[in-house]
Each structure stands twice: as structure tokens, then as C-alpha cells.
Amino acid sequence: MNRFATQRAAVPALREAAAAVSLALLAWPALAQEATDAPAKEKGQLETVTITAERRVENIKEVPNAVSKISGEKLDVLNSGGQDVRFLSGRVPSLNIESSFGRAFPRFYIRGYGNTDFRLNASQPVSLVYDDVVQENPILKGFPAFDLAAVEVVAGPQGTLYGRNTPAGVVKFDSVKPSQRQEGYLNVSYGNYGTMSLEGAANVPLTGDWAARISAQIQHRDDWVKNQVPTGKTGELEGYDDRAVRLQALYQPHKDFSALFNFHGRDLKGSARLFRASIIKPGTNDLVDGFDPEKAYTDGVNEQTLHATGGSARLRWGLGAINLYSITGYESVRPFSRGDVDGGYLYGGTKPYTQEGQAGFPAESSSSMSGHRQITQEFRVESAAAGPLRWQGGLYFFDERYTARSTDYTTSTGAAAGYVDTYQKNTAWAAFGSVNYAVTQDFQLRGGLRFTHDKKDVKVTSSYTDLNTSTGVTANTGDSKWNWDVSGTYALTKETNLYARVATGFRASSVQGASRFAGQSQATPENVTSYEVGVKSDFWDRRARLSASAFTYTVKDLQLTAVGGQSNANRLLNAKKAEGNGVELNLELLPIDQLLITVGGSLNNTKIKDPSLSLPACGGGCTMTDPLVAGSTTNYSIDGNPLPNAPKWVANLTARYAFPTAAGNEFYIYTDWAYRSKVNFFLYEAKEFTGKALTEGGLRGGYIWNNGKYEAAIFVRNITNQIRITGAIDFNNNTGFINDPRTYGVQFKAIF
């Protein structure tokens, strides 16, 4: 089927999905009425879910936005295999996470909208906020997930309350806060490949008005991939030691003042992303015959280190009718990642290569960063008085600067051949406000407005004499933008809310400095407008909860990254626009007291719309499926292509069944599954660089005793051992990287 037929086919699918949501809306009054009229009786109910997506604690049903929350046991289960934050991928609707750096540099996509850029000064349209502090640099976004109260994924533009670089949405991590209660936990697991995870937290007893909490996590995996090249400089790969700590101190002399201080750090040492040369069978997206995940064929060095430290101070003053907040944040990170980019050791021959380990020529490089520091400051005031009107407003300041270095190496000797340094300074400030008004008891309106000014200064220096300076080595940008959102919520019944939302967002200009292979490139700001309608309801006497939404968005001047290709260049460009639309659903069911089921899913259609946009063919001898531009023998049109790493379908399922004992203890079994459909790795479409659909499942069985204080469990992750190519390098061969194989282990948790 050609691309245009595929696009036509997507329209009926979207209409059918929208019709399904419409039918659900029409049926909801009856369902809710049935729940209301049902006689009261003794039985379990779903717990109320509260979120802070709009900077206040609210019932998730009252928030006119698509928000998904993961917390408690579910978060613990998903994190049991020792994976980094990518374990969240596909676990809520429309969320995809991937990385070509391994544990150090996750790239987030919401509703198909993200950024594939791998440079250390890349900006992303999905913002990550950890304990109220934005983590702007992509390296900061990989901080481990431990001792968390919740993870919230907020879809769609969040420009009013969270600012620039949130046009796709926000992922929020909230740590468990200190308290005067003497409590804590210890969680330890051990599995195959020598995988070990040790996590613990405790409130530290203090006197007076102080409370403190210390949390830590240690994750380890042995090197489990054996390099088959006798002369290879790295013999075994894919192991890691990842350690993180968080110390919090809370001072609260009375209810009208509190000060929460947070210090955190991380040290990572292990393998960089393992690039595997020519593992893709030419003309297909299959792995080559005889592929073994535990073998590699590389002659270069592979290593990765990362050291990060940060802190924050969150102050709150209660002044009767208003509350004042000050949030000060500091982050610093020092990463180093070196890898064999070609991924092989056999050089030369005719493309496309058919033997694993073949490459056109050796290429080895590293990325590092020095002098990094990010400072943020927010002042916010919110109403605290009762009444139909609630409001908040504030000022935000951002300052980040660093030098990113890219170094090339001579593979035969391992010596550095030269470097390119890119210095970037990014400052921004914003003023924002938001108003909520209850027009009637059943109808509420919300609106917000934000003005942002963003400035970047970029300068490149290099040891190379052949640096491409054709477009300069310095750049300065300055962008100002108003963003707004308007939403309404209508209580159809006591249990059911309908909502509609219109929101805008923007991502400031991006600059990629000059290299040997490409001149400096710059992308102008992108702007998004999003429309969303949805329903949120508790029904079946609160044994069921559903949220469903339908959305459409348009991004004008979409920033894209053209990676690799025959020119071996990484350059920025703007598409005239891109469009996305789809539906999302979250459903929780408690059919009987012992069984809890959650189901989530999304349909996302994305499309680049720019007839003038074209790219040269891939560099590794792939099979292009895009049409050639009229009159050209080298450039292919990408107009109409889906956005990269944007699966059309995402689905997830969890089910937990409990077997209570007469003594009050519990046996249980828990399973979780995540699915995403095929994805394009790059802007163009090629058979080899289309990732197959991926389904990963987990199974866990355990025993909980002594009033929930102790738990012992066995677990399996990627239970079917499905191995897929999850990313590729468009360079001088068809190089790819894969997901983790099946892992299994035992786990023990004690709460005290």
C-alpha cells in the first residue's frame, strides 16, 4: 500500500475511534445513574486519585486535561528489572521513550511529538519536572526513579503553568516528602545477568520543627554481551553501576510556613549504547539470521560515566487569603559517553552489507560536557480563600550554560584525533497567570496566559582545520511569545465530568553548532495549537473509573533534526507544519475485591505537511520507500510521513489477583503488558529503518505478611523474550540497537 492510501485509511480509523468516544459519552448518564441508584453494600472501591498537574492538589476527575498517573505497587513492579526511566514507555497512553545514549539521555514523545536530536544541547518538546524543578538538558532527564510518590504524564501543551519547551506535554516526578513519622522501607532484588537493585528510604528522627528523609538507590548489572573481536578494545559490554541519593529536610514551625530543602546526586559508570553493525537484514526490518543478543562485533572503545548533583529550596508562606511560593533550583551534570559509532570491525565491501560486524569505515567518537549549571527561580502566588474564584500567578527565571565537546578517535590507536566545542548559554524569563471560576455548581471555566522571553548564545571552537564554517561559528537568538489556554468542565452527573480544552505552546529557537561534516544550522521557534475533548467518570459504585479524550493539534514551523545520511550530517530544519490527532483511554476496574485491572490505549496519527521538504538517501545502503523529488535522483520527499518514533497505537494492561489467607496475609499474582506499533526511526521512510511492533510483558508473584510489612516476590520482565531493533544509526551501514532481553529475579521488601 502506498503512503497516500495509508493516509486515506487512517481517516476512517480516526472517525471510528471518535465515534466510539461519542457513544461512550452518550451512554455515560445511564451508567452513572445505575451507579447512583444501586443499593449501598459492603464492598471495595477504587481509591480517589489526586494529582498536581495544574500546580494544586486536585481530584484527577476535576482536571480538564488528559493526565495519567502511576504510583504505588504499579510503579514498584515496572521498576523491578533494573531499567532506567525508559520503563515508563508505553505504560500510559501516547507515551514513548527511547535513547541512543543508553541510561544517560532519554528522549520523550507524547502523542507522537518529540525530538530525535542526539546532541547534548538538543531541546525537547516534552518537559520533565522533578520535584517542581524543570530538567531542561536531556542528560538531566535520565535521573533515576526511586522513592517516588507518583509519576504524572500530562498530555498536550502546558505552556501556561510550565512554560516554554512544553508544547507536547510534561512528565512530572514527585518524591515522597519528609514527615515526623518514623517510617521507611528497604527494597532489594537480584536477577540474571547479575542484575541487582537496592533501594531504601527513611524519615530521620529530628527534634523540634524539623523533619528529614534520606533515599538512595543502587542498580548494577554485569557485562552480559561478549565481544567476538579478539582485538576489540572493550571485551564485555552492557553492564552498569548506577547510584543515586536524595536528602530532604523539611522545616515547618507552624501551618503557615514551610521550607523544603532537597539535595540529590547521581553517579553512573558502565557501557554506552551498544551499536551493532549491519544487524538489519537488507530489504527488510528483520534481524540478520543467527543474531545473538549476547554477542557483539566491535573494535572500538565503549564506556560511559556521568556525575550529577543538584538541590532545591521550596518555601511556602500562608497569608490568609493567599499563599506565596518560592522555588529555587540548581542542577549540574558532567557526562562522558564514548562509543564505536560504526559498530563493527570488517571494513569495505559492497553495500548493503549482509554480515554482522561489517561497516564502510571505522568511526569512533565521544560526547562530553563541562561547566554545566542550571539555575531556576519561580515566585508564585495563589488564592487560598473559599469561593467560586481561584487564581494563581507568578514569575519564572531560567539560566543554563555549558560547553559540550564532541571528540573523534582513531580506532586503530584509540588516540583522540580532534574535537569540536560548542558553548551554549540559555536564559529565559516568564510571567504567568491562571484563573479558575465556578460559573455554576456544575460548570467551571479555566484560563491561563503566559509571556516568555528566551535567549540563546552559541559559539563553536575546534581543533580541526577543516571545520565547516560556511554558515558561521556563532549564533544568537531571542524569542518572545504569548501562550494561553482555555478549558471548561461540566458535571454531567455527580460521577461524570465532560471537558473541553484549547491550548497553545511553543518551543524556542534551536541551534546546532558547526562540525566537520555540516555547517551551523538553526531552527526557528515552533508553535502548536491543540484542541481536546474528554470525559472522566467513576461508575459501577466506584468499582470502575474511565477517562477518554479525543484531540487534534497543529504545529507550525516544526523543528526537525535530519540525522546522518549520505552526507553524515546532523542538521536542524523547519517543516511548514505537522498535524496530529487521535484518541486516548484509561480504564480501571475492580470487578471483585481480589482483582484489579487497568487498561490504557491510544491512537495517534501524525503527519509532516511540507511539499518542499526533502532529504538525501540514507548512508548505509537501505531501501528507500519515499518518492523521489521530481527531477532529482538523490533527494526523497518526506511530505506526508509520520513523525519519527511516533507509534500509531500504544496499549497497556495490568492485572492483579490477590489470594488472602486466614491469618490476614496475602499471596498475589501481577501481570503487566505494553504494546506499541511500528515506528519510523528517521524523518524518511526506509524498510530497514522501520522498527517493528514491540510487545513486552511482565509477570510477578509474591507473598505479603505481617500486616503488609514484608513482601517476597519473584518476577520476569520481557517474559516472551521478544527482541526488536529499537533504534538505528544512519551512517555507513545498517547499524541498530535493541531492547533488553528477558530478565528475571527475586525481590524482598520490608517496611518499617
Side-chain angles (χ1 to χ4, degrees):
M1 182 181 292
N2 63 37
R3 184 173 72 242
F4 302 104
T6 302
Q7 294 166 6
R8 290 195 297 269
V11 175
L14 178 60
R15 289 173 179 167
E16 291 174 8
V21 173
S22 301
L23 289 173
L25 293 176
L26 293 173
W28 230 248
L31 288 171
Q33 187 66 36
E34 179 183 330
T36 303
D37 296 342
K41 54 185 176 182
E42 294 280 335
K43 59 182 180 180
Q45 294 182 326
L46 293 172
E47 294 182 357
T48 299
V49 177
T50 58
I51 58 174
T52 57
E54 299 206 358
R55 312 299 297 274
R56 297 174 183 265
V57 177
E58 297 179 280
N59 187 321
I60 194 170
K61 189 175 67 176
E62 309 297 329
V63 178
N65 204 345
V67 185
S68 300
K69 179 178 179 178
I70 300 178
S71 60
E73 183 182 37
K74 184 175 182 179
L75 192 59
D76 187 37
V77 169
L78 297 178
N79 202 18
S80 62
Q83 199 178 8
D84 56 89
V85 295
R86 286 173 290 170
F87 75 81
L88 294 168
S89 184
R91 302 298 173 171
V92 301
S94 297
L95 178 65
N96 188 32
I97 311 173
E98 55 84 29
S99 175
S100 57
F101 267 69
R103 301 176 70 86
F105 188 144
R107 292 187 287 255
F108 292 78
Y109 305 78
I110 295 179
R111 294 178 173 173
Y113 187 5
N115 183 13
T116 60
D117 197 340
F118 61 82
R119 293 207 182 182
L120 296 182
N121 68 330
S123 69
Q124 296 184 351
V126 178
S127 182
L128 189 139
V129 178
Y130 213 126
D131 289 333
D132 292 323
V133 177
V134 66
Q135 309 293 298
E136 176 64 21
N137 190 275
I139 298 293
L140 293 174
K141 298 179 191 290
F143 194 83
F146 64 99
D147 194 28
L148 294 178
V151 177
E152 297 176 16
V153 179
V154 193
Q158 305 300 319
T160 297
L161 294 178
Y162 292 97
R164 81 203 209 297
N165 295 358
T166 60
V170 171
V171 179
K172 289 180 75 272
F173 288 72
D174 292 312
S175 303
V176 177
K177 301 301 184 285
S179 73
Q180 295 286 355
R181 296 188 300 272
Q182 294 188 23
E183 62 181 16
Y185 70 91
L186 180 67
N187 195 343
V188 59
S189 66
Y190 185 81
N192 61 329
Y193 302 126
T195 304
M196 186 273 291
S197 180
L198 176 64
E199 178 182 329
N203 288 329
V204 180
L206 296 175
T207 59
D209 302 319
W210 285 89
R213 185 177 183 88
I214 185 168
S215 315
Q217 183 188 71
I218 300 173
Q219 292 180 310
H220 167 85
R221 177 169 290 172
D222 293 342
D223 289 315
W224 59 273
V225 177
K226 178 69 174 178
N227 190 0
Q228 303 300 299
V229 180
T231 58
K233 298 179 179 62
T234 305
E236 296 183 331
L237 307 111
E238 290 286 71
Y240 56 80
D241 284 290
D242 201 350
R243 305 182 181 192
V245 64
R246 181 186 306 115
L247 176 62
Q248 300 177 86
L250 174 66
Y251 176 65
Q252 190 168 11
H254 48 78
K255 66 181 182 66
D256 290 327
F257 177 76
S258 65
L260 178 62
F261 303 97
N262 178 315
F263 170 80
H264 49 271
R266 179 192 188 190
D267 275 296
L268 167 66
K269 183 178 181 181
S271 291
R273 196 59 149 131
L274 177 56
F275 303 140
R276 300 169 183 256
S278 301
I279 64 169
I280 308 172
K281 186 183 295 186
T284 75
N285 57 356
D286 296 329
L287 289 161
V288 293
D289 295 337
F291 176 77
D292 185 345
E294 297 188 15
K295 296 180 180 179
Y297 301 84
T298 174
D299 59 2
V301 174
N302 180 297
E303 61 178 333
Q304 185 174 85
T305 60
L306 183 151
H307 178 72
T309 56
S312 64
R314 186 180 189 272
L315 311 181
R316 175 191 172 274
W317 294 268
L319 303 177
I322 62 171
N323 294 324
L324 298 178
Y325 296 89
S326 170
I327 303 174
T328 306
Y330 174 86
E331 304 290 341
S332 178
V333 64
R334 189 171 67 248
F336 176 84
S337 187
R338 178 175 174 177
D340 186 353
V341 180
D342 65 87
Y345 74 108
L346 293 174
Y347 301 109
T350 303
K351 297 179 183 180
Y353 302 125
T354 58
Q355 181 179 343
E356 186 176 356
Q358 282 187 284
F361 52 86
E364 188 176 330
S365 65
S366 70
S367 296
S368 61
M369 194 156 57
S370 62
H372 175 270
R373 66 121 174 98
Q374 172 192 291
I375 298 174
T376 57
Q377 176 63 55
E378 179 178 272
F379 299 106
R380 183 165 58 92
V381 57
E382 67 177 15
S383 61
L389 177 66
R390 296 187 301 162
W391 53 267
Q392 59 181 307
L395 297 172
Y396 179 78
F397 303 92
F398 175 88
D399 189 322
E400 183 184 44
R401 56 193 70 188
Y402 53 86
T403 298
R405 170 167 288 192
S406 176
T407 305
D408 293 323
Y409 298 87
T410 303
T411 299
S412 59
T413 64
Y419 66 86
V420 177
D421 282 349
T422 302
Y423 170 78
Q424 178 167 299
K425 177 183 177 182
N426 186 188
T427 58
W429 67 271
F432 62 93
S434 177
V435 175
N436 300 4
Y437 186 72
V439 180
T440 68
Q441 185 176 354
D442 297 328
F443 181 51
Q444 296 189 27
L445 288 175
R446 303 190 184 203
L449 187 66
R450 187 181 189 110
F451 176 80
T452 301
H453 179 73
D454 187 283
K455 181 181 179 182
K456 284 190 178 77
D457 298 301
V458 177
K459 181 180 180 180
V460 172
T461 58
S462 176
S463 66
Y464 292 112
T465 58
D466 59 345
L467 186 73
N468 188 333
T469 61
S470 59
T471 53
V473 294
T474 62
N476 308 100
T477 69
D479 305 312
S480 297
K481 182 66 178 179
W482 289 94
N483 284 118
W484 54 269
D485 67 83
V486 177
S487 59
T489 305
Y490 177 71
L492 190 63
T493 68
K494 182 180 179 181
E495 293 79 15
T496 303
N497 285 346
L498 307 179
Y499 74 88
R501 182 175 188 262
V502 183
T504 67
F506 98 111
R507 181 155 59 117
S509 295
S510 296
V511 179
Q512 288 293 2
S515 69
R516 297 172 64 199
F517 307 105
Q520 178 175 276
S521 59
Q522 182 173 328
T524 57
E526 65 185 23
N527 297 276
V528 62
T529 302
S530 169
Y531 301 86
E532 179 180 327
V533 295
V535 56
K536 299 184 179 184
S537 181
D538 297 324
F539 60 102
W540 196 14
D541 199 15
R542 286 190 61 188
R543 281 186 172 272
R545 176 181 297 120
L546 182 140
S547 63
S549 61
F551 63 88
T552 181
Y553 64 84
T554 300
V555 187
K556 293 184 178 179
D557 300 315
L558 174 68
Q559 296 182 24
L560 296 172
T561 304
V563 180
Q566 292 180 346
S567 60
N568 187 30
N570 185 68
R571 67 186 190 279
L572 297 172
L573 47 89
N574 287 99
K576 289 182 180 178
K577 69 175 180 178
E579 294 179 347
N581 55 63
V583 294
E584 297 162 330
L585 177 143
N586 274 313
L587 176 65
E588 295 178 75
L589 294 171
L590 189 67
I592 58 176
D593 290 354
Q594 292 79 30
L595 177 62
L596 174 64
I597 300 171
T598 70
V599 179
S602 58
L603 163 67
N604 286 275
N605 296 299
T606 63
K607 187 186 299 183
I608 298 170
K609 303 194 74 173
D610 189 341
S612 67
L613 207 55
S614 65
L615 292 173
C618 52
C622 70
T623 308
M624 299 290 293
T625 59
D626 284 323
L628 278 166
V629 174
S632 173
T633 59
T634 58
N635 274 35
Y636 294 80
S637 172
I638 63 171
D639 181 41
N641 283 358
L643 295 175
N645 285 303
K648 183 174 182 178
W649 296 98
V650 171
N652 60 78
L653 166 73
T654 71
R656 185 188 192 277
Y657 192 86
F659 303 88
T661 69
N665 302 321
E666 178 186 89
F667 291 95
Y668 71 87
I669 187 169
Y670 190 113
T671 187
D672 64 275
W673 293 84
Y675 167 85
R676 65 134 177 88
S677 58
K678 68 177 183 178
V679 294
N680 275 358
F681 296 143
F682 304 113
L683 297 176
Y684 58 76
E685 290 187 321
K687 290 183 179 180
E688 292 83 352
F689 294 145
T690 301
K692 288 186 175 183
L694 173 65
T695 302
E696 290 187 317
L699 183 64
R700 179 185 180 95
Y703 177 60
I704 302 173
W705 72 98
N706 197 8
N707 295 317
K709 289 185 177 181
Y710 303 107
E711 177 182 355
I714 58 174
F715 64 86
V716 185
R717 309 300 304 161
N718 191 10
I719 190 171
T720 63
N721 200 30
Q722 186 177 92
I723 302 298
R724 290 284 188 263
I725 302 164
T726 57
I729 304 296
D730 178 6
F731 188 37
N732 66 36
N733 56 1
N734 293 336
T735 292
F737 38 91
I738 63 172
N739 60 312
D740 281 352
R742 176 168 49 221
T743 57
Y744 51 85
V746 295
Q747 187 172 3
F748 173 76
K749 184 175 184 179
I751 300 174
F752 52 87

